[in-house]
Amino acid sequence: MEPSPPQPRRRIQQLPPGLINRIAAGEVIERPASVVKELVENALDAGATEILVQVEDGGRELIRIIDNGSGIPPAELPLAFASHATSKLTCDEDLFRIATMGFRGEALASIGSVSHARILSRHAGEEVAYELFNRGGELTDPQAAAGNAGTTVEVRSLFFNVPARRKFLKGTATEYGHIAEMVLRLALPHPHVAFKLLHNGRASLDLPRAGGTDRLLAAWPDEFREQRLPVDLRDAEVRLHGVIGLPELARPTAKYQYLYLNGRPIRDRFIQHALREAYRGLCEPGRHPAAILLLELPPQDVDVNVHPTKAEVRFRDGGRVHGLVMAAVREKLLGSELAPQVVAKSDAVDEVQRADLRTKLADFFKIAPTQGTLPIETGASHAPSARDTILIHGQASAPAPSSTSAPAPAAAPGAPPVAPWSVPRHPLPDSLRDSVPQARAASHHAPRETATDSEHHASGNGRDDHATAAEDHPAPAPRAHPNSSFPTSAIQLHNSYLVAQSEDGMVIIDQHALHERIMYEELSARIMRGPLESQRLLIPETLPASSRQVALLEQIQPLLARLGIEAEPFGPNTVAVHAFPSFLSKLEPGRFVTELLERGEQELLDLHEEELLHEILDMMSCKAAVKAGDPLTPAEIDALLARRELIDRSSNCPHGRPTTLRLSLRDLEKQFKRTGF
């Protein structure tokens, strides 16, 4: 291959201002939420007490910020879109004691270079307002216009001249979700400012002026309000205040953690680590405590000029901040009663109100008593239907409050044998239940079949039930392990691990991880054949949801329908669950959907549909699988081991954790010093 000819040298030249601003926009303006952040921060710096945010199509087509701040004089209006033009810095020393939200002077110049922007502003004391247009960096002269005191900034057709950036924007619901979260984060530390957010003309966030604690609690669900502790600690020039949640409020994601420095939302590893350490031993590992912490310290003790988005800061004394946060939170936790309160649900509910509620819900949702659904009847008790029975290995049986060691129902003549898998808390998928006894029949009886056994089975009035099941319902052949066959029986240790003998040693199995993988593979196979079977709820379960969660729900509704989950918005901040997968009947629909939406806000919004499907299947499998600490009967253990042979990727759970550890005889001999003799 011949070397490519040398390229002619290009001379060094200064980039034009328009290109410079578009390059800067790539760092500052990541998505529509970034535009909202910069413009709202400008409104706060201008002393606004009312801020209205209007967006259309998730911010793609329109972002409008209206404030009642000090406004911009007409002579300075052209400088608003100029690069590195700001009223917040006057000298070098100001850069080391920044007390305003913005200071770079890049935001409006960057926004104007990648959109069609307009500023309408009326300065305090002026009789008329003036407006100015910026179309991709081309400015018009200021012109007189009608307008109230304050400033209005409109941004239309964001990234119209940067197709690559516009192409990578996510869906409307996703982008609007980021905007709603951004407005909420900016509003929390400013209770004296009223915020309102409209999306396509519909109000989704309305925060009037309120006291400090009331504004902070707007970020949490209502049930958090009674399970919080106030924090307020001063250390010389530093103050830490806010609210923290009891350990029982810890969630799988950090959704309910909000950290602020001098009114600015930040991400800081020192503070996050201090918060985790303060809750160490009080909540489960991997869960994130709920906390809203506002840190105030002299501007010269922190450097906010670290990242273009100003979300990261650098403390002059990070250890001092870490110690202050950990001490304040830990002291409050240790000095408080942390035992969870058990709130019993009273059955003494006014039957008139209950009947009226059912009637209204029935009229609203118009649920018809068709096959597979449950009619809503007022004043009548709910009679169990065929869906209310518990399927055990493909057999229907009425649910009974029996122990896990209760005998299984007898199998009908000629039907597959029913092994006593009696863990109604974590029911297996139907296909798994049907195939487990077949697999056991194939693995236990077929290999050991001898001539004598065959004669014994053929004699008498009938044949062995297990052999009949294996012949009438052939199961897939077990996959052979490369080194040794998998064990057919095991014992349970600590109600969490299964230990069994293999041909060349022993294996230790994590029962939850293995069952989770089985559930995941079965669900993946079933979802390819059609939507999962669902059970309609007698009365829809309602749950609180943020505007971002409602937008996410609308985005993923078709996918949820495939999974047997029927849920839809039921008001501006409420979601109603109408149907739920049958195999998850032992879970609380509201709690599952709430956790799904919380995870979606943090992790799932930007995933493609196929990735999102597998994430939700993973979550469903984890919830439905047996847990560490659940006792299993010998038949249940055998069923798990049998099914392991019939699935792919059984060596790891969907999260990637191993399901099985192998210990060979050689390894055992080394441990007991039996080698070398």
Side-chain angles (χ1 to χ4, degrees):
M1 181 177 180
E2 297 182 359
S4 57
Q7 298 294 325
R9 181 186 177 278
R10 297 180 179 180
R11 68 186 185 88
I12 299 175
Q13 57 182 351
Q14 192 169 13
L15 297 177
L19 181 56
I20 293 174
N21 289 333
R22 281 192 287 273
I23 293 174
E27 298 179 347
V28 179
I29 310 303
E30 180 183 1
R31 60 194 334 151
S34 304
V35 175
V36 173
K37 173 182 179 295
E38 298 294 339
L39 297 181
V40 170
E41 287 181 347
N42 284 345
L44 291 172
D45 287 337
T49 58
E50 296 180 0
I51 298 177
L52 173 63
V53 181
Q54 299 174 326
V55 297
E56 294 179 4
D57 190 22
R60 282 184 173 86
E61 297 306 320
L62 171 67
I63 299 173
R64 181 186 293 120
I65 311 295
I66 303 174
D67 69 65
N68 64 345
S70 59
I72 305 174
E76 299 177 11
L77 205 56
L79 291 176
F81 282 119
S83 179
H84 302 295
T86 179
S87 62
K88 300 156 190 177
L89 296 179
T90 58
C91 60
D92 292 348
E93 289 73 18
D94 290 345
L95 190 61
F96 302 101
R97 52 171 183 265
I98 297 173
T100 55
M101 300 290 288
F103 58 90
R104 294 176 179 274
E106 292 181 320
L108 281 175
S110 299
I111 293 170
S113 67
V114 294
S115 68
H116 293 156
R118 166 180 173 260
I119 290 184
L120 172 67
S121 186
R122 177 181 166 188
H123 182 58
E126 296 283 345
E127 296 183 356
V128 297
Y130 287 82
E131 65 179 356
L132 180 146
F133 293 89
N134 185 341
R135 297 181 175 88
E138 298 180 2
L139 300 180
T140 63
D141 295 329
Q143 296 181 350
N148 297 325
T151 302
T152 298
V153 181
E154 288 185 2
V155 177
R156 296 183 180 272
S157 303
L158 185 63
F159 298 130
F160 80 97
N161 55 355
V162 189
R165 179 59 63 88
R166 188 174 179 88
K167 180 178 65 175
F168 282 99
L169 292 179
K170 302 298 180 182
T172 299
T174 301
E175 297 299 342
Y176 171 69
H178 287 287
I179 291 174
E181 179 68 17
M182 181 61 68
V183 173
L184 179 61
R185 286 189 175 272
L186 291 170
L188 292 186
H190 301 283
H192 60 283
V193 181
F195 283 81
K196 192 170 185 178
L197 172 62
L198 304 179
H199 184 225
N200 295 332
R202 184 177 67 179
S204 61
L205 183 67
D206 191 356
L207 299 175
R209 298 185 187 93
T213 303
D214 291 338
R215 171 59 63 85
L216 295 180
L217 294 179
W220 283 357
D222 291 340
E223 60 266 25
F224 282 27
R225 293 177 177 265
E226 301 302 323
Q227 303 181 71
R228 71 180 193 273
L229 299 171
V231 174
D232 197 342
L233 181 65
R234 296 178 182 270
D235 177 16
E237 298 176 324
V238 181
R239 182 192 178 195
L240 177 71
H241 62 104
V243 292
I244 59 174
L246 296 180
E248 60 194 274
L249 298 183
R251 291 297 187 264
T253 67
K255 168 183 169 53
Y256 297 117
Q257 282 186 15
Y258 297 84
L259 307 178
Y260 296 91
L261 171 65
N262 295 339
R264 183 194 308 278
I266 63 169
R267 299 187 304 266
D268 184 75
R269 58 187 180 89
F270 285 103
I271 299 178
Q272 292 171 338
H273 181 269
L275 194 59
R276 288 196 304 269
E277 288 299 309
Y279 278 85
R280 180 182 293 276
L282 298 177
C283 57
E284 300 176 23
R287 298 183 74 86
H288 302 266
I292 306 175
L293 299 179
L294 295 87
L295 184 65
E296 299 175 4
L297 73 166
Q300 60 269 22
D301 289 346
V302 62
D303 183 7
V304 299
N305 190 23
V306 176
H307 191 273
T309 63
K310 303 182 290 284
E312 299 176 8
V313 298
R314 183 179 295 118
F315 294 102
R316 176 176 295 180
D317 189 353
R320 177 188 179 190
V321 173
H322 181 280
L324 178 69
V325 173
M326 188 169 67
V329 175
R330 179 176 291 176
E331 180 181 355
K332 177 57 67 173
L333 290 172
L334 296 181
S336 305
E337 174 58 50
L338 302 181
Q341 294 183 356
V342 179
V343 180
K345 295 183 179 180
S346 174
D347 293 332
V349 180
D350 190 341
E351 287 299 327
V352 177
Q353 295 180 357
R354 179 181 294 178
D356 183 62
L357 173 62
R358 288 176 177 170
T359 302
K360 290 180 178 179
L361 287 172
D363 293 339
F364 183 82
F365 294 103
K366 298 186 184 302
I367 302 177
T370 58
Q371 182 179 4
T373 63
L374 296 177
I376 295 181
E377 300 177 359
T378 59
S381 61
H382 165 51
S385 67
R387 290 271 184 92
D388 294 318
T389 60
I390 298 177
L391 288 175
I392 302 177
H393 288 308
Q395 302 291 328
S397 63
S402 59
S403 64
T404 58
S405 59
V418 181
W421 185 282
S422 54
V423 188
R425 300 160 302 176
H426 311 287
L428 294 172
D430 295 341
S431 57
L432 192 155
R433 298 189 193 99
D434 295 339
S435 58
V436 167
Q438 302 162 17
R440 299 310 293 167
S443 61
H444 277 293
H445 293 271
R448 302 186 214 172
E449 190 90 48
T450 62
T452 305
D453 294 333
S454 300
E455 293 172 2
H456 175 72
H457 292 163
S459 63
N461 297 329
R463 300 168 60 197
D464 182 88
D465 289 341
H466 290 260
T468 304
E471 294 176 9
D472 295 342
H473 306 277
R479 296 178 293 104
H481 287 272
N483 297 325
S484 63
S485 61
F486 202 75
T488 56
S489 63
I491 61 173
Q492 188 183 34
L493 296 181
H494 300 290
N495 290 337
S496 299
Y497 300 100
L498 309 180
V499 181
Q501 175 180 316
S502 63
E503 290 184 356
D504 64 342
M506 60 184 294
V507 293
I508 305 174
I509 303 162
D510 184 330
Q511 65 185 33
H512 171 72
L514 176 57
H515 195 195
E516 186 179 358
R517 169 56 72 180
I518 292 173
M519 299 288 286
Y520 179 86
E521 294 297 333
E522 287 295 330
L523 285 174
S524 298
R526 288 180 58 183
I527 201 69
M528 298 303 294
R529 299 194 294 267
L532 298 181
E533 182 182 4
S534 64
Q535 169 69 60
R536 198 158 191 88
L537 303 182
L538 180 64
I539 296 179
E541 184 170 345
T542 59
L543 50 110
S546 65
S547 57
R548 190 180 186 190
Q549 291 175 342
V550 172
L552 170 65
L553 180 65
E554 293 176 342
Q555 177 185 354
I556 65 175
Q557 267 185 332
L559 178 58
L560 294 182
R562 294 176 59 190
L563 298 169
I565 300 175
E566 183 182 338
E568 62 182 16
F570 188 55
N573 295 304
T574 308
V575 168
V577 183
H578 303 283
F580 204 60
S582 301
F583 84 100
L584 291 178
S585 60
K586 299 305 175 183
L587 298 181
E588 297 180 20
R591 178 176 296 182
F592 181 88
V593 174
T594 296
E595 185 171 336
L596 173 62
L597 294 178
E598 288 179 1
R599 285 191 57 190
E601 283 188 289
Q602 302 295 320
E603 305 170 7
L604 308 181
L605 276 174
D606 294 336
L607 296 180
H608 297 294
E609 182 175 351
E610 192 67 21
E611 296 174 319
L612 183 58
L613 170 63
H614 288 289
E615 287 288 339
I616 299 178
L617 289 179
D618 183 3
M619 183 178 173
M620 297 171 77
S621 303
C622 183
K623 295 293 182 183
V626 295
K627 303 296 187 291
D630 288 339
L632 303 179
T633 66
E636 295 166 356
I637 294 173
D638 287 349
L640 270 181
L641 299 181
R643 192 54 190 162
R644 183 192 188 278
E645 293 291 279
L646 304 179
I647 63 170
D648 295 325
R649 299 177 292 179
S650 61
S651 61
N652 295 85
C653 77
H655 299 98
R657 295 189 296 107
T659 64
T660 307
L661 298 178
R662 292 181 175 272
L663 194 62
S664 67
L665 286 174
R666 181 68 174 173
D667 295 330
L668 288 173
E669 290 171 351
K670 287 182 179 179
Q671 294 298 323
F672 285 103
K673 312 299 182 183
R674 295 177 60 88
T675 58
F677 297 98

